[in-house]
Amino acid sequence: MSKIKPSQGAPYARIMGVGGYRPTRVVPNEVILETIDSSDEWIRSRSGIATRHWASDEETVAVMSIEAAGKAIADAGITPEQIGGVIVSTVSHFKQTPAIATEIADKIGAGKPAAFDISAGCAGFGYGLTLARGMVTDGSAEYVLVIGVERLSDLTDLSDRATAFLFGDGAGAVVVGPSKEPRIGPTVWGSEGDKSETIKQTESWEAYRNGAPDKFPAITQEGQAVFRWAVFEMAKVAQQALDAAGITADDLDVFIPHQANERIIDSMVKTLKLPEHVTVARDVRTTGNTSAASIPLAMERLLATGEAKSGDTALVIGFGAGLVYAATVVTLP
Amino acid sequence: MAATQEEIVAGLAEIVNEIAGIPVEDVQTDKSFTDDLDVDSLSMVEVVVAAEERFDVKIPDDDVKNLKTVGDATDYILKHQN
């Protein structure tokens, strides 16, 4: 048997830069109220959402990703050619093959990196981040671009008063690279496939093609079941991620949960008993729920507004359709 | 030890007060959570989880929608508590 040389990577990994893209069109609740019987007050009290961004025809999954990636690469202080891996998490790119990651890698001038898409719903950013950390530390790539991007407006049933106001579009990206110190903690992640009906696409593409439903497929969810799982089960996962990183809530500066709904965020903060000094991301108010894009978008905004700063310790947790989840502690870029 | 009906109503009143800010004395068995007490569907989940902990009972999501009034919840807990 021949001896095989092992792959050698960096001792640790870190997030080096973050970037986001929000579509130009801002959609206030008044627009949503044109198609559902509700009120601005009702929507705000149930979700915290006042406005969201909806992409135009020109703001494709690729275009938004390229914008966000460009900012993240500049923020990381590297050049596109140095990128050795591109991971794109999305559920709303409507072309099965090839992976959109390859087009994005090419358009940003990354050369010939490993490039692939993943599907992990609203936990997609944490899944991508975990893969990227592994790639950097095992030597598969020196720098990895992780993009969460969604055009959920394409999968929204505007006549459904339970979900019409929830979703938004956008892209968020980070560059993960080598580090001398651990800057991304252990990931606590998993799936609960027995709850796959809780959040789902109404009909399969196959059924739609065959004419079964008269409506274009959309994302639907069982609100109360999702709320209970997100708040109470995910609070346990968040605590496990803190424990795994060897810190307590007192050591945290920032909490960036998936921006699903502000009520979930409020309830998680209460359940986790986060101290007052912890800054909590509430980007959902003006961005809506952008699934895989929500955590990097919220991270970028907190850093841009000065609510968080480089070097801060942040707990990030994503959770969603699958059901799937991923939580980890990171140092902000 | 299993809670009595009075203890459950009093306990629910405290929970509803803490979660929705409704005065304890307003939480009576004939009151509807949504129509009378202004407990919306998401707050209801918080009430249910708090009640589960307090009374050592499991209330699955499918049963939550049947708990319209404080009396419904009290009866459910009386019947299912360990």
Side-chain angles (χ1 to χ4, degrees), chain A residues 84-317:
Chain A
V86 176
I87 303 171
V88 176
S89 182
T90 183
V91 298
S92 46
H93 172 57
F94 289 169
K95 197 170 177 184
Q96 205 82 40
T97 195
I100 192 68
T102 57
E103 180 186 331
I104 294 165
D106 180 56
K107 293 266 174 65
I108 62 172
K112 298 179 179 177
F116 55 98
D117 299 352
I118 60 172
S119 175
C122 305
F125 176 73
Y127 272 62
L129 184 66
T130 302
L131 293 173
R133 184 192 57 203
M135 288 161 74
V136 168
T137 55
D138 81 7
S140 307
E142 190 172 10
Y143 302 100
V144 179
L145 184 63
V146 179
I147 300 170
V149 55
E150 301 292 359
R151 279 177 57 110
L152 294 184
S153 60
D154 292 335
L155 283 172
T156 301
D157 178 357
L158 293 179
S159 66
D160 177 7
R161 66 189 303 272
T163 57
F165 57 88
L166 268 182
F167 302 117
D169 304 336
V174 298
V175 172
V176 178
S179 174
K180 291 188 181 111
E181 301 288 334
R183 296 284 182 246
I184 302 173
T187 303
V188 177
W189 60 350
S191 65
E192 297 181 37
D194 60 325
K195 300 186 179 70
S196 61
E197 294 290 305
T198 322
I199 308 171
K200 62 174 184 181
Q201 183 173 318
T202 45
E203 295 286 348
S204 70
W205 297 120
E206 189 183 24
Y208 182 64
R209 182 186 61 187
N210 294 336
D214 53 2
K215 266 182 172 175
F216 193 74
I219 298 169
T220 180
Q221 63 177 9
E222 295 167 20
Q224 284 187 317
V226 172
F227 184 81
R228 188 199 286 222
W229 178 77
V231 172
F232 299 100
E233 298 307 313
M234 290 306 98
K236 293 175 200 162
V237 170
Q239 185 57 52
Q240 287 165 18
L242 290 176
D243 295 344
I247 67 168
T248 70
D250 282 336
D251 302 317
L252 276 181
D253 301 306
V254 186
F255 178 48
I256 312 178
H258 163 50
Q259 302 289 295
N261 173 321
E262 194 173 12
R263 290 281 294 278
I264 291 177
I265 297 170
D266 285 337
S267 209
M268 281 183 103
V269 167
K270 209 163 67 178
T271 307
L272 275 167
K273 298 185 174 67
L274 289 186
E276 286 279 323
H277 74 261
V278 177
T279 299
V280 178
R282 295 180 187 282
D283 193 37
V284 67
R285 290 173 181 169
T286 54
T287 307
N289 177 342
T290 57
S291 190
S294 84
I295 291 175
L297 277 172
M299 186 184 291
E300 188 214 32
R301 178 149 284 173
L302 287 175
L303 289 164
T305 58
E307 292 167 89
K309 59 183 191 308
S310 175
D312 277 356
T313 301
L315 170 62
V316 298
I317 177 167

Side-chain angles (χ1 to χ4, degrees), chain B residues 24-73:
Chain B
V24 171
E25 57 273 21
D26 289 0
V27 183
Q28 305 287 339
T29 49
D30 62 334
K31 291 289 194 314
S32 154
F33 285 106
T34 47
D35 299 338
D36 301 321
L37 301 176
D38 211 23
V39 174
D40 70 23
S41 65
L42 300 184
S43 293
M44 189 63 196
V45 175
E46 296 182 290
V47 168
V48 162
V49 172
E52 283 186 335
E53 274 183 24
R54 183 161 183 150
F55 300 112
D56 191 19
V57 62
K58 279 269 163 258
I59 311 176
D61 291 318
D62 284 346
D63 291 340
V64 172
K65 57 180 173 290
N66 300 324
L67 308 181
K68 306 279 188 219
T69 66
V70 175
D72 294 340

Side-chain angles (χ1 to χ4, degrees), chain A residues 27-30 40 43-44 47-52 284-286:
Chain A
V27 178
N29 288 341
E30 287 68 40
D40 180 49
I43 293 172
R44 287 179 195 243
S47 69
I49 300 170
T51 60
R52 75 287 288 146
V284 67
R285 290 173 181 169
T286 54

